[in-house]
Amino acid sequence: MKLRKASAAAAAAVALALTVTACGGDSGSDGSADDGNGKDKITVGIKFDQPGIGLKEPDGSFSGMDVEVAKYVAKDLGYDEEAIVFKETKSADRETALQNGDVDFIVASYSINDERKQKVDFAGPYFLAHQDLLVRADDTSISEATDLNTKKLCSVTGSTSAQNVKNDFAKDAELVERGGYSECLGALQNKVVDALTTDDSILAGYAAQDQYKGKFKLAGLNLSNENYGIGVKKGSDLTAKINKALEKMASDGSWQKVMDETFGPAGYEFEPAPKIGELK
């Protein structure tokens, strides 16, 4: 009788231990953000609607510079492509996504600035973009920002790019807002507006699309410096790990290959790979 009680107690203890172990294992493999340690999956925030940068294709796959950078970094951290979960993170949601642990890191045309550095940490920069203008390929009337005086300038609602041009370069430019960049491109193609402004990398991505090839050109103006970094949660040890991956990507030729394949069709003359930790 005593032997049966002892056996029952031992069995219960073993069952409890197995339950605890199983719970512990689940917490490390459920895809939630945990600085990329001990997980089967890693969640990366990207844009879903920027050709050449971060785009979700009709078949569910992803393309663009940021996607390829994210894949390289994830692989260096120990994750194959199949282990990456891409999560859409719109500009206004990036800091919150990191702070809440919704993603492990963000690669989404994410410019490093002092205000954002108060909320999140950045690895990089991995790319230097500049605010520029996109104009029709046959338009020779716009070669400087000041040429936009009395002309119509399109930008996306909520963006500050067009207002910056008006404030700093062409106070008499007429601002035209549209809901998305594709709408601005349509207006530019149909001569409803004379130029579109945002980061040159984004403009080049749109210009490289098959339906727009040969129809637009970049003005080649460096109206601002936009240092793209990889956002991570404040205090995360991922910052140093990602920086090492980015340095490796530049040194082994992978960075140059990605940029050539992404921006070559648009004729976009991008800057060389920036040095990690240096902002221009």
Side-chain angles (χ1 to χ4, degrees), residues 134-151:
L134 192 70
V135 299
R136 289 182 292 276
D138 60 354
D139 189 349
T140 59
S141 67
I142 302 174
S143 59
E144 301 290 342
T146 52
D147 293 332
L148 289 170
N149 281 309
T150 72
K151 293 185 178 290

Side-chain angles (χ1 to χ4, degrees), residues 28 38 46 56 61 84 94 114 138 165-169 171 176 202 207-210 236 271 274:
I46 61 169
K56 186 174 183 179
S61 63
I84 303 172
R94 289 178 295 203
D114 290 337
D138 60 354
V165 171
K166 186 174 177 67
N167 291 344
D168 299 334
F169 302 102
K171 64 182 181 64
V176 178
I202 298 173
Q209 288 185 291
D210 289 339
S236 171
E271 300 270 358

Side-chain angles (χ1 to χ4, degrees), residues 51-82:
I53 306 295
L55 182 68
K56 186 174 183 179
E57 302 286 358
D59 64 0
S61 63
F62 299 93
S63 65
M65 169 185 73
D66 283 347
V67 174
E68 296 307 315
V69 171
K71 289 178 182 177
Y72 187 99
V73 169
K75 185 174 183 179
D76 198 69
L77 293 175
Y79 297 90
D80 291 332
E81 187 173 333
E82 294 75 17

Side-chain angles (χ1 to χ4, degrees), residues 116-157:
R116 289 169 178 164
K117 285 164 65 177
Q118 299 300 313
K119 302 175 182 178
V120 301
D121 287 339
F122 284 97
Y126 65 90
F127 192 83
L128 177 61
H130 306 280
Q131 185 179 342
D132 199 359
L133 305 175
L134 192 70
V135 299
R136 289 182 292 276
D138 60 354
D139 189 349
T140 59
S141 67
I142 302 174
S143 59
E144 301 290 342
T146 52
D147 293 332
L148 289 170
N149 281 309
T150 72
K151 293 185 178 290
K152 294 181 179 179
L153 176 64
C154 192
S155 190
V156 173
T157 302

Side-chain angles (χ1 to χ4, degrees), residues 241-276:
K241 295 176 182 178
I242 293 175
N243 277 334
K244 288 182 179 179
L246 292 175
E247 289 175 344
K248 181 180 176 182
M249 187 178 188
S251 65
D252 69 11
S254 298
W255 185 93
Q256 187 69 41
K257 184 175 184 291
V258 165
M259 302 310 159
D260 286 342
E261 292 177 350
T262 300
F263 297 120
Y268 171 38
E269 297 181 4
F270 51 86
E271 300 270 358
K275 186 173 181 180
I276 300 302

